[in-house]
Amino acid sequence: MAVSALSTAGLPADRLRLTLDGRWLFDFEGAGRRLPPGRDIAVPGIWQAQFAELRNAPGRGVYRRHVSIPSDLGDRRLFLVFGGVFHEAEVRIDGRAVARHANAWTPFEIEVTGRRDGFDLEVIVSAPDDDGPTPRHRPCVVV
């Protein structure tokens, strides 16, 4: 189960990229397993590989971070681009649900034009209890 995220493959070369790879805050609940709130997690990456106590653990992971938009981007249109989020994802911006996606292997994007002051990004990932394939890891960006 991964918040994967950014795929630059297929994006026009002239699109600027602001990567969101790095450290995010992470919370987890599922099947009798919990983590203390606000743990640090690397994105892209899967929670089972980063927390031994979550190995093979289905549940609900919540990834959070603040996104700052550089002032020199001018009037460009801005999009969050996710290369894939394993399994089912809900994306929230400033606490409001803005997208849902249920296919770990396909990219999706969300327009964030007009949020020049930055925003709080939350990606809620639900991993069903199954023995599915190991996810691919992808980065996340604003373009």
Side-chain angles (χ1 to χ4, degrees), residues 12-111:
D14 64 337
R15 286 179 91 173
L16 296 174
R17 288 159 180 86
L18 170 66
T19 184
L20 299 181
D21 291 0
R23 307 309 293 181
W24 290 48
L25 294 178
F26 180 74
D27 298 325
F28 179 85
E29 286 187 16
R33 299 185 195 188
R34 299 215 183 331
L35 288 177
R39 294 285 298 269
D40 203 41
I41 192 168
V43 171
I46 60 173
W47 63 55
Q48 292 94 335
Q50 297 184 57
F51 302 106
E53 61 268 47
L54 299 182
R55 296 258 188 316
N56 300 315
R60 180 177 180 264
V62 179
Y63 297 74
R64 293 182 178 88
R65 69 164 289 163
H66 181 77
V67 176
S68 297
I69 305 297
S71 60
D72 63 347
L73 291 182
D75 294 332
R76 288 181 175 263
R77 291 178 67 196
L78 301 174
F79 298 85
L80 280 172
V81 179
F82 294 88
V85 179
F86 199 82
H87 280 279
E88 300 160 359
E90 175 181 307
V91 178
R92 294 176 174 261
I93 293 179
D94 293 332
R96 188 174 67 84
V98 296
R100 292 183 193 282
H101 192 73
N103 185 332
W105 312 114
T106 60
F108 64 102
E109 60 183 52
I110 302 158
E111 187 163 8

